[in-house]
Each structure stands twice: as C-alpha cells, then as structure tokens.
Amino acid sequence: GSGENPAAMPEGHPQIEIPADVVKAITEMKKQAEAAPDDLAIWTRLAGVQYRAGLIDKRYLPESTTSFEHVLERDPKNLE
C-alpha cells in the first residue's frame, strides 16, 4: 500500500462529524460497560463501536484500544 489511510477523505472534502445521538449512544454504552466489568460481550461491542467511530473521529481510537485491552485482560484467548 501507499501508506495512506483508506478512510481518509479526498482533499477539500468537508469534515465529517459523528452525530450527537451517536456520541450519546457511545457514552451510554461506555457507562454500561464500566458498570459491568466482567461482561465481555458489552466490552467487545463497545470496542468495536469505538473503533468504527475512530475511523471518523480519531479521539475514539485510544478508547477502542483500552476497551479491547480490557477484554483481553479478562480473556487472553479472545479472538474477537
């Protein structure tokens, strides 16, 4: 590959933002996950949602990594 981000927008493309209702949903999901630290299903879903959000808003990528690490700490053989 050329090393470019495949999700990058063409030069001059308007900034894409995550809609407020989606930001709220991610925040609520994170609260649910934090309230259930051993519920790996919700942590896995959260990590995936944060990763996809991070393709639009890079601020979510570190959160996604943290959520995936949370799952792996509890289930080192988890391949999701």
Side-chain angles (χ1 to χ4, degrees):
S2 62
E4 291 183 25
N5 179 353
M9 293 294 147
E11 189 173 329
H13 192 282
Q15 179 67 31
I16 296 175
E17 293 184 11
I18 297 174
D21 59 331
V22 175
V23 170
K24 183 177 178 183
I26 294 170
T27 300
E28 288 300 315
M29 184 181 284
K30 185 175 179 182
K31 287 180 187 175
Q32 290 174 357
E34 289 171 344
D38 294 322
D39 184 344
L40 300 186
I42 193 167
W43 279 94
T44 301
R45 280 196 308 273
L46 174 63
V49 168
Q50 290 169 324
Y51 174 76
R52 288 188 295 280
L55 296 176
I56 296 170
D57 183 339
K58 300 288 185 234
R59 292 176 291 184
Y60 285 97
L61 290 177
E63 291 185 23
S64 172
T65 299
T66 300
S67 296
F68 277 124
E69 287 172 348
H70 178 92
V71 172
L72 291 174
E73 284 171 6
R74 285 161 173 75
D75 182 10
K77 295 181 180 176
N78 189 311
L79 299 178
E80 287 191 44

